[in-house]
Amino acid sequence: MNNKNRIQVVLVKSLIGRLERHKKCAIGLGLRRIGKSAAVYDTPENRGMIKEISYLIKINDN
């Protein structure tokens, strides 16, 4: 897979006080701190996690 199949996600809100499954989605995407970003593969699994925590992240499609 090349760079075209990746999505850049940035955590913009805190994980404190969130549902446990939302915290796990963020960690599964590689997001641990506010302001940090991660490039994840564009798969149905990752799209589902992104949709679940869309209110916590910012998405940059490259």
Side-chain angles (χ1 to χ4, degrees):
M1 294 187 164
N2 58 18
N3 234 4
K4 287 184 178 181
N5 296 339
R6 289 189 172 235
I7 302 169
Q8 191 78 18
V9 291
V10 181
L11 188 64
V12 294
K13 289 188 178 181
S14 175
L15 297 176
I16 295 171
R18 306 298 178 186
L19 293 174
E20 193 61 34
R21 69 175 194 232
H22 290 190
K23 290 180 187 180
K24 288 180 181 181
C25 284
I27 291 169
L29 290 169
L31 302 171
R32 286 164 174 69
R33 295 188 202 146
I34 296 174
K36 297 297 179 179
S37 64
V40 296
Y41 287 113
D42 188 7
T43 63
E45 295 84 3
N46 286 339
R47 283 281 180 177
M49 288 193 284
I50 289 169
K51 184 178 177 185
E52 184 84 14
I53 61 168
S54 62
Y55 68 101
L56 295 174
I57 60 176
K58 183 176 75 172
I59 303 160
N60 298 327
D61 286 324
N62 291 346

